[in-house]
Amino acid sequence: MQAMTITASQQYIGAEPVPDRLSAYTPSLAIKLAVLYQGQGDIQPFRQLAERLGVPLYESLNSDSPEEFFLTWRDGCLKLLDKELLKKGGLAVDIEPRNGEQRSWPAPKDGALAQALGRKTRTVVDATTGWAQDSLHIFRMGYELLCIERSPVMAELLADGFVRLAQLDWMQRLNLEPPRLLQGNAIELLASLEVQPDCIYLDPMFPPKRKKSALAKKSMMVLRDLLGDDQDKQLLFEAALNAAGKRVVVKSPDYAEPLGGKPSQSFQGKLLRYDVYLKL
């Protein structure tokens, strides 16, 4: 099977300038975000990061700082902080398997997600990568994976995470490369793929449940604060259905209506489900 390919101008690489899409994707973020350097290590990567994102660089903070979010390198990784997290470490892309996930590669294709992706599937596009927890699980199961993320901020965090992933002993021992990453509007990027992937995976941000039974994870709260709700998820689904070779998989909370109408198949997980739309 021919591999998925992309043009060089589309591929996101953390060391290269990113097109100024910050205001286009997150209109309020330009006044919410800054890069924070606190005297640890070379300041040049911090300057380059601030320049790529078009946001201020601070060497210290005071109570009058208007920004609500900050990017900085701590503990060997790029982290996103809000003012509550300034002294608590921050949020980074976690490259370790979640509880219950296999550490071997390729991990067994077990569970609802693997059933939804399909055992004959080889190539997957995750069009809503976010913090990449599902992406990395898909990658560890041995699928060929392309990740798309519309937020330039999340793309920076993901690029840093994938660099750390590439440096792990098991990745180097098996001569594996991390997933490829594109930053941009998935609706547009899916239409530009030269070869159809077998499966396109969608995990759009659904409105929170009216009656909350538990607090959302901090990472998801911050992501929602940064990006808001996915207002174009229906258009994204239609673009995915056009671009996929065999199937589209939509991850949904158990209370949400199916994004694309009645699915061909549905696989239930804990408090969520995976709706599968097969191409005829």
mmCIF file of all heavy atoms in Angstrom, residues 16 66 99 117 152 155 166 175 251 266:
data_model
loop_
_atom_site.group_PDB
_atom_site.id
_atom_site.type_symbol
_atom_site.label_atom_id
_atom_site.label_comp_id
_atom_site.label_asym_id
_atom_site.label_seq_id
_atom_site.Cartn_x
_atom_site.Cartn_y
_atom_site.Cartn_z
ATOM 1 N N GLU A 16 11.209 25.193 12.660
ATOM 2 C CA GLU A 16 10.987 26.112 11.546
ATOM 3 C C GLU A 16 9.881 27.114 11.879
ATOM 4 O O GLU A 16 9.000 26.834 12.686
ATOM 5 C CB GLU A 16 10.594 25.325 10.294
ATOM 6 C CG GLU A 16 11.696 24.427 9.776
ATOM 7 C CD GLU A 16 12.904 25.200 9.300
ATOM 8 O OE1 GLU A 16 12.731 26.332 8.829
ATOM 9 O OE2 GLU A 16 14.018 24.674 9.393
ATOM 10 N N PRO A 66 -1.161 40.680 31.763
ATOM 11 C CA PRO A 66 -2.507 40.416 31.250
ATOM 12 C C PRO A 66 -2.704 38.994 30.746
ATOM 13 O O PRO A 66 -3.831 38.536 30.592
ATOM 14 C CB PRO A 66 -2.649 41.424 30.111
ATOM 15 C CG PRO A 66 -1.249 41.634 29.628
ATOM 16 C CD PRO A 66 -0.373 41.536 30.857
ATOM 17 N N ASN A 99 -2.623 4.237 32.019
ATOM 18 C CA ASN A 99 -2.893 3.048 32.825
ATOM 19 C C ASN A 99 -3.705 2.042 32.014
ATOM 20 O O ASN A 99 -4.709 2.389 31.401
ATOM 21 C CB ASN A 99 -3.661 3.420 34.086
ATOM 22 C CG ASN A 99 -2.805 4.180 35.078
ATOM 23 O OD1 ASN A 99 -1.578 4.084 35.055
ATOM 24 N ND2 ASN A 99 -3.441 4.943 35.954
ATOM 25 N N LEU A 117 -11.103 1.097 14.858
ATOM 26 C CA LEU A 117 -10.143 1.394 13.794
ATOM 27 C C LEU A 117 -10.114 0.292 12.754
ATOM 28 O O LEU A 117 -9.911 0.558 11.563
ATOM 29 C CB LEU A 117 -8.748 1.583 14.389
ATOM 30 C CG LEU A 117 -8.558 2.798 15.308
ATOM 31 C CD1 LEU A 117 -7.150 2.790 15.890
ATOM 32 C CD2 LEU A 117 -8.824 4.108 14.582
ATOM 33 N N PRO A 152 -1.662 26.342 16.761
ATOM 34 C CA PRO A 152 -0.201 26.461 16.743
ATOM 35 C C PRO A 152 0.425 26.195 18.105
ATOM 36 O O PRO A 152 1.534 25.673 18.181
ATOM 37 C CB PRO A 152 0.030 27.910 16.292
ATOM 38 C CG PRO A 152 -1.211 28.290 15.566
ATOM 39 C CD PRO A 152 -2.324 27.574 16.274
ATOM 40 N N ALA A 155 0.426 22.508 18.608
ATOM 41 C CA ALA A 155 1.401 21.928 17.681
ATOM 42 C C ALA A 155 2.813 22.038 18.240
ATOM 43 O O ALA A 155 3.628 21.126 18.075
ATOM 44 C CB ALA A 155 1.305 22.603 16.315
ATOM 45 N N ALA A 166 10.935 10.242 20.191
ATOM 46 C CA ALA A 166 11.966 9.699 19.306
ATOM 47 C C ALA A 166 13.235 9.347 20.060
ATOM 48 O O ALA A 166 14.011 8.493 19.612
ATOM 49 C CB ALA A 166 12.279 10.706 18.199
ATOM 50 N N ASN A 175 14.249 1.342 15.752
ATOM 51 C CA ASN A 175 14.438 2.223 14.590
ATOM 52 C C ASN A 175 13.105 2.800 14.107
ATOM 53 O O ASN A 175 12.816 2.832 12.910
ATOM 54 C CB ASN A 175 15.135 1.475 13.453
ATOM 55 C CG ASN A 175 15.719 2.421 12.416
ATOM 56 O OD1 ASN A 175 16.090 3.555 12.734
ATOM 57 N ND2 ASN A 175 15.799 1.973 11.178
ATOM 58 N N LYS A 251 -14.960 9.591 18.060
ATOM 59 C CA LYS A 251 -15.036 9.372 19.508
ATOM 60 C C LYS A 251 -16.007 10.382 20.103
ATOM 61 O O LYS A 251 -15.896 11.580 19.851
ATOM 62 C CB LYS A 251 -13.654 9.526 20.136
ATOM 63 C CG LYS A 251 -13.621 9.336 21.637
ATOM 64 C CD LYS A 251 -12.202 9.550 22.160
ATOM 65 C CE LYS A 251 -12.104 9.436 23.657
ATOM 66 N NZ LYS A 251 -10.717 9.676 24.139
ATOM 67 N N SER A 266 -20.830 0.725 16.193
ATOM 68 C CA SER A 266 -20.504 1.534 17.365
ATOM 69 C C SER A 266 -19.913 0.626 18.428
ATOM 70 O O SER A 266 -20.420 -0.471 18.671
ATOM 71 C CB SER A 266 -21.750 2.246 17.895
ATOM 72 O OG SER A 266 -21.405 3.223 18.858
#
